[in-house]
Amino acid sequence: MSLQSPIPPVAQNSELVDFWNEILAPKFVRFRHVLVGGLSRHSEAVLPALRVPAGGRVLDVGCGFGDTAIQLARTAREVVGVDCCEAFLDCARDEVRSARADNVRFIAGDVERGLNEGQFDFVFSRFGTMFFANPVAGLRAMRACLAPGGTLAHIVWRARSDNPWVFDALEIVREFLPAPDATARSCGPGPFSMADEETTRAQMQAAGFRDIEFQRIDAKVLVGRDIADAVAFQLAIGPAGETFRAAGALAEERRPQIEAALAAHFRTIAERNGGLWMDSSSWLITAR
């Protein structure tokens, strides 16, 4: 299939996809410098060793702002990036034009609901699979995109205790605000839904994968250019941001105290390399 071939879009009429586009996408775009600058530490640590098939077709699931698709395209013949957020893909297309990566294209859609595409030799995802509403169905959909013998590699966050860059802020915010109730809109199961190796291995086996391997990745991630940026980031994105958003008027009433407490915390983080960096930990999971 050529890069110019028409591709039917993936269905997007789900509440989860609407939430990403309406609520989260603008915040992710605002903090793109934090997300790409930090999360890329995890993909950069493993991409050179992933054995992306030279001359093969690669699918990048939850491709976000396109940085991983461009990296994968240095080896692959063709890379197709898919994401449910149009705002992310607008940024990604700009990046591809700047990089002159003519073998990369993007489609908007929710892979979990099926992908109208041909077969790929390699499927990759950095911090995307954790948000599947039904992990087994999502993983099975990714498997359906693979040619026989094809490989899956996805990166997911490990345990909360190994990711203080997120959970230190959550603990502080929860001192002032209640946890969101079950009816609050959310991004899905959440960024730590695949942290448990045993559970995730069982999900992948149920989806039909074999030769499943887990590799731990530890890396410093950017949490903000400075203290003010770090505080704003935590109140916009992630578990602390979800708590703040769900609390509504109460959160705004207590904003000054919350921001002061978060600022005090981030003053304990040494500034280096143009920002504040904290410990994080993920799994690289590969399978056939």
Side-chain angles (χ1 to χ4, degrees), residues 55-115:
R57 299 186 73 228
V58 176
L59 179 67
D60 186 358
V61 174
C63 61
F65 298 118
D67 57 298
T68 50
I70 292 171
Q71 288 179 286
L72 291 163
R74 293 169 185 160
T75 301
R77 170 175 59 88
E78 176 187 359
V79 177
V80 177
V82 58
D83 203 290
C84 70
C85 288
E86 289 281 6
F88 296 170
L89 296 181
D90 288 341
C91 297
R93 293 183 181 105
D94 287 341
E95 288 298 314
V96 162
R97 283 190 287 269
S98 296
R100 298 183 178 179
D102 296 333
N103 57 336
V104 179
R105 61 191 168 99
F106 299 104
I107 54 177
D110 179 1
V111 169
E112 190 175 353
R113 300 171 68 86
L115 183 65

Side-chain angles (χ1 to χ4, degrees), residues 167-272:
F167 287 99
D168 283 0
L170 176 63
E171 290 179 4
I172 292 169
V173 171
R174 289 280 174 85
E175 293 175 7
F176 299 90
L177 300 173
D181 63 34
T183 63
R185 295 182 73 187
S186 72
C187 60
F192 293 86
S193 65
M194 290 187 170
D196 181 73
E197 179 178 354
E198 183 178 351
T199 299
T200 303
R201 184 183 296 276
Q203 291 170 341
M204 294 186 66
Q205 290 170 338
F209 286 102
R210 57 193 175 92
D211 298 337
I212 303 164
E213 297 182 3
F214 285 69
Q215 176 187 334
R216 176 172 178 160
I217 307 167
D218 294 324
K220 295 280 188 181
V221 292
L222 181 69
V223 294
R225 294 191 180 108
D226 52 31
I227 290 172
D229 196 35
V231 170
F233 171 70
Q234 294 291 346
L235 293 185
I237 294 173
E242 182 178 7
T243 296
F244 191 86
R245 181 180 61 251
L250 179 62
E252 290 302 328
E253 178 185 329
R254 298 179 178 176
R255 178 186 286 273
Q257 300 99 299
I258 294 170
E259 290 183 340
L262 287 171
H265 168 67
F266 286 118
R267 278 195 288 271
T268 69
I269 308 300
E271 186 171 347
R272 62 186 184 87

Side-chain angles (χ1 to χ4, degrees), residues 16 112 129-138 187-189:
L16 183 59
E112 190 175 353
T129 55
M130 313 163 304
F131 297 107
F132 285 149
N134 184 327
V136 174
C187 60

